[in-house]
Amino acid sequence: SPDGHAHEFCSHVAEEEIRDHSVAFYSVRKLSRGTMDEVYDVVVLGTGLKECILSGLLSVSGKKVLHMDRNKYYGAESASLSPLEELYKHFGKGEKAPEAMGRGRDWNVDLIPKFLMANGQLVKLLIHSGVTRYLEFKSVEGSYVYDKKGKIHKVPSNESEALSSSLMSLLEKRRFRNFLLFTSNYDENNPATFKGHEPKKPMRAVFKDFGLEQQTMDFTGHALALYRDDEYLKEPCLQTIKRIRLYNDSIQRYGKSPYLYPLYGLGELPQGFARLSAIYGGTYMLDKPVQEIVYENGKVVGVKSGGEVARTSCVIGDPSYFSDKVQKVGQVIRCICIMNHPIPNTKDALSCQIVLPQNQLGRNSDIYVSCVSFAHNVSAQGHYVAMVSTTVETGNPEQELLPGLQLLGPILEKFVCVSDLFVPTDNGLESRVFISTSYDATTHFETTCEDVVDIFQRVTGQPFDFSTVQSQIETVEQ
């Protein structure tokens, strides 16, 4: 719609919940009637977004769920911190924020900001689960890509934008336009649309056949298809074509960019799924440290906390609860930047994403920049919150972010965090302990959703079906 609000599937959060987020917490607690000393189908540890989605989906499908978190707040690693003083405390920068930053309660700063693809998996989950009744979204204004000359350009996503883009020469624009026409018409069930490019043909060969230059391949693979490295070039082309289509379909839904972002920050998302779980019988316990995961003959049988054991045959949780069952595979550095101006060269966008592809920087992994502002109720009037993130490759992570930080202009305050990346050491089918992976450096939720769907399928032994979730909710509501 013209004002940028994604009204098609969004509804307002209740006024009193907006003014005081503790109301949202209370509404979940009020619905939670269980105790530790019971038998549960599933115990979920940590209230990060992945865990809350799984808790909500499993509750809807009829499972008796206990959801615990050692913290006093929702969101775990993916929390939004409010008021602003909490952000300063979290990063050890004192108890108070400068007065020039405005009212502390006007700020909701994501620790791991990410955007939602308008036609992507998380939005489908939100729609099919009914969680959109608790949230309102706004479309992100711009999607940009960086070139090796240090300039940023709007990502061209359709034929007309390809012809007007400053990224390419005249001849390259025509070649890229032909490539986009090919991807938009491609149908894996109709060989007539293949034009000599079967679904299993490596993506690199497809690019080569269209005569595309390295820079065009870079922004197509990393800013349109959203790959984090170049491994996809060796893979069958079908997946990349589908990803480009998803980007284009998402843009067509709301206009300026393919991305959406919730008003009041991402902390609203785990709370929305937590409410869904509570409505369908889920029990929530915050400020509940876990003493022990109890096993018998290699299989989980319970979770111990405060001297009590919640008995269960299935546990789901984030890596921080299972130091003996995860391995470190790398690190991510994130730098939250507070500014009083939009990012230069983005047409004064109130929100945007910039992808800096690895090859344009001589790196092995991309750098990501995201920016939101007062327009999304996450900062005081006139202020912007940018995040620069990447996968760590050297012994000086902050130096690695420089190309992204240099795009921002003057920065009022920086908050830097280096986080370890963990993955589970096994698939959990033997022990019935299912562990999510750490959040990566990307500024979108597609990889997050892939992990959620994968865990759901391992827990239930059934393929994930969005329409099943919707029908289960409709059945219960009737």
Side-chain angles (χ1 to χ4, degrees), residues 295 298-300 313-315 325 424-435 455 458-459:
Y295 298 90
K299 288 195 185 295
V300 74
S313 58
C314 178
V315 173
K325 285 184 170 289
T425 52
D426 66 72
N427 60 18
L429 295 174
E430 286 294 316
S431 64
R432 301 299 294 168
V433 170
F434 301 92
I435 306 167
I455 292 172
R458 279 183 277 140
V459 168

Side-chain angles (χ1 to χ4, degrees), residues 64-85:
K64 184 179 177 182
V65 176
L66 169 63
H67 201 149
M68 300 163 57
D69 195 315
R70 63 171 78 90
N71 298 308
K72 295 179 181 179
Y73 54 85
Y74 285 89
E77 257 201 313
S78 50
S80 296
L81 296 187
S82 181
L84 184 60
E85 289 72 25

Side-chain angles (χ1 to χ4, degrees), residues 39 60 85 119 154 193 234 259 274 320 324 377 385 432 464:
V39 178
V60 165
E85 289 72 25
N119 227 28
K154 187 177 186 305
T193 66
K234 306 171 194 169
Y259 301 110
S320 69
D324 60 328
N377 302 344
V385 182
R432 301 299 294 168
F464 183 81

Side-chain angles (χ1 to χ4, degrees), residues 38 163 222 277 453 463:
E38 289 186 37
L163 291 176
H222 294 260
S277 175
V453 168

Side-chain angles (χ1 to χ4, degrees), residues 36 57 86 160 165 179-180 187 250 265 275 287 303 333 393 406:
M36 277 293 290
L57 295 177
E86 290 298 318
S160 61
S165 174
F179 172 76
L180 286 179
D187 178 357
S250 296
R275 284 175 218 154
D287 197 15
V303 175
I333 179 168
E393 296 180 9
Q406 286 168 349

Side-chain angles (χ1 to χ4, degrees), residues 1-10 116-119 123 127 137-141 248-261:
S1 62
D3 64 355
H5 280 66
H7 283 309
E8 184 177 325
F9 71 97
C10 302
L116 292 80
M117 191 72 92
N119 227 28
V123 167
I127 294 169
F137 289 80
K138 200 164 187 171
S139 58
V140 173
E141 290 185 16
N248 291 337
D249 292 346
S250 296
I251 277 196
Q252 284 165 18
R253 287 197 74 167
Y254 303 117
K256 297 174 184 175
S257 88
Y259 301 110
L260 303 172
Y261 181 80

Side-chain angles (χ1 to χ4, degrees), residues 160-459:
S160 61
E161 285 186 356
L163 291 176
S164 61
S165 174
S166 58
L167 259 174
M168 299 167 281
S169 66
L170 187 60
L171 285 174
E172 184 71 356
K173 286 177 183 179
R174 289 177 182 163
R175 290 190 287 263
F176 183 61
R177 178 179 175 273
N178 291 337
F179 172 76
L180 286 179
L181 281 169
F182 159 73
T183 58
S184 64
N185 293 324
Y186 199 92
D187 178 357
E188 61 185 303
N189 300 311
N190 181 4
T193 66
F194 294 173
K195 309 292 185 195
H197 306 291
E198 291 72 25
K200 290 186 177 178
K201 186 173 187 174
M203 193 62 217
R204 189 188 295 278
V206 176
F207 280 144
K208 189 177 177 184
D209 288 350
F210 278 90
L212 297 181
E213 296 169 1
Q214 182 64 49
Q215 180 166 292
T216 310
M217 289 164 55
D218 282 348
F219 78 70
T220 303
H222 294 260
L224 281 173
L226 300 177
Y227 285 108
R228 288 176 288 166
D229 55 40
D230 278 351
E231 288 301 304
Y232 78 96
L233 291 169
K234 306 171 194 169
E235 303 290 328
C237 64
L238 180 61
Q239 192 57 38
T240 300
I241 291 169
K242 283 182 175 178
R243 284 176 170 232
I244 294 168
R245 292 272 289 277
L246 169 62
Y247 189 100
N248 291 337
D249 292 346
S250 296
I251 277 196
Q252 284 165 18
R253 287 197 74 167
Y254 303 117
K256 297 174 184 175
S257 88
Y259 301 110
L260 303 172
Y261 181 80
L263 296 185
Y264 302 95
L266 293 178
E268 297 294 314
L269 289 175
Q271 286 179 51
F273 282 100
R275 284 175 218 154
L276 178 72
S277 175
I279 288 165
Y280 288 89
T283 299
Y284 273 75
M285 295 182 182
L286 296 180
D287 197 15
K288 196 79 175 157
V290 173
Q291 288 170 282
E292 183 188 353
I293 314 290
V294 186
Y295 298 90
E296 283 180 12
N297 301 320
K299 288 195 185 295
V300 74
V301 293
V303 175
K304 187 176 183 182
S305 175
E308 295 180 299
V309 176
R311 284 158 292 157
T312 186
S313 58
C314 178
V315 173
I316 298 169
D318 72 54
S320 69
Y321 289 88
F322 308 96
S323 56
D324 60 328
K325 285 184 170 289
V326 294
Q327 62 182 13
K328 180 179 166 182
V329 292
Q331 290 183 309
V332 171
I333 179 168
R334 298 181 176 93
C335 181
I336 298 169
C337 303
I338 293 179
M339 311 182 300
N340 58 5
H341 59 85
I343 295 178
N345 306 310
T346 61
K347 298 183 178 173
D348 293 336
L350 295 170
S351 55
C352 66
Q353 175 187 259
I354 308 169
V355 176
L356 291 74
Q358 55 177 62
N359 285 324
Q360 300 297 310
L361 302 160
R363 289 174 52 82
N364 297 319
S365 45
D366 297 351
I367 296 175
Y368 299 90
V369 177
S370 64
C371 182
V372 288
S373 67
F374 59 94
H376 309 86
N377 302 344
V378 296
S379 65
Q381 186 67 27
H383 286 80
Y384 295 72
V385 182
M387 166 73 90
V388 184
S389 59
T390 192
T391 305
V392 175
E393 296 180 9
T394 71
N396 188 354
E398 224 172 314
Q399 187 74 16
E400 296 182 49
L401 292 180
L402 268 183
L405 291 170
Q406 286 168 349
L407 297 174
L408 301 184
I411 297 166
L412 298 177
E413 189 75 82
K414 284 196 297 193
F415 304 87
V416 180
C417 173
V418 177
S419 307
D420 291 337
L421 281 173
F422 292 105
V423 298
T425 52
D426 66 72
N427 60 18
L429 295 174
E430 286 294 316
S431 64
R432 301 299 294 168
V433 170
F434 301 92
I435 306 167
S436 60
T437 58
S438 302
Y439 293 94
D440 61 33
T442 59
T443 42
H444 56 81
F445 273 116
E446 292 309 290
T447 49
T448 300
C449 290
E450 286 165 14
D451 195 26
V452 168
V453 168
D454 183 44
I455 292 172
F456 184 88
Q457 290 176 169
R458 279 183 277 140
V459 168

